[in-house]
Amino acid sequence: MFARDMVPHHRQAVEMATLAETRASDRRVKDLAARIRKAQDTEITTMAGWLTGWGQPVPPPDAGHTAHGPGMMNHADMEDLKAASGKAFDRMFCDLMIRHHQGALEMGRCGQDPRR
């Protein structure tokens, strides 16, 4: 379940990070986005391989647009990010990416013994 849900989660982060290439104004935001994109592209490939090896379906590329897991951006958030540029984009990207990764942490804790 974790790998199945994390693939679209990572794809959305990659989509967000790709926007930074042309919309961000701060070099640090561009560098962060590039690192996120590289790492999460690799992790998508790994998790898709696990799912295939387990005989499970890999979520289709557009699954991130319909997923509603923790930290996932809704359509309005993504459209706002796509429309932003410069310092406004930088701030929005960072705020949304923090929320996105906090959601990933929540997903990682699902099923864990709460006493740990």
Side-chain angles (χ1 to χ4, degrees):
M1 183 173 87
F2 175 80
R4 184 199 65 224
D5 291 348
M6 192 53 71
V7 167
H9 198 274
H10 274 20
R11 283 182 179 148
Q12 188 178 69
V14 168
E15 181 181 357
M16 294 167 66
T18 300
L19 293 172
E21 292 174 10
T22 58
R23 290 175 174 78
S25 62
D26 190 312
R27 171 62 31 210
R28 295 170 298 179
V29 172
K30 287 181 182 260
D31 291 345
L32 173 62
R35 289 192 311 272
I36 289 169
R37 184 175 178 185
K38 181 179 179 183
Q40 295 203 355
D41 268 338
T42 301
E43 291 173 8
I44 290 166
T45 300
T46 298
M47 288 184 285
W50 292 344
L51 291 167
T52 299
W54 298 329
Q56 298 295 312
V58 176
D62 64 348
H65 298 285
T66 59
H68 300 289
M72 292 289 285
M73 302 303 101
N74 62 37
H75 181 73
D77 289 334
M78 289 301 293
E79 290 303 310
D80 288 347
L81 188 62
K82 288 177 184 177
S85 63
K87 289 183 181 187
F89 176 90
D90 296 344
R91 178 62 184 208
M92 188 180 303
F93 174 83
C94 291
D95 288 346
L96 292 173
M97 195 58 78
I98 289 167
R99 187 170 75 188
H100 190 84
H101 280 83
Q102 287 171 332
L105 291 171
E106 185 178 330
M107 290 171 69
R109 287 191 293 267
C110 287
Q112 284 188 354
D113 184 332
R115 296 170 288 182
R116 287 190 212 190

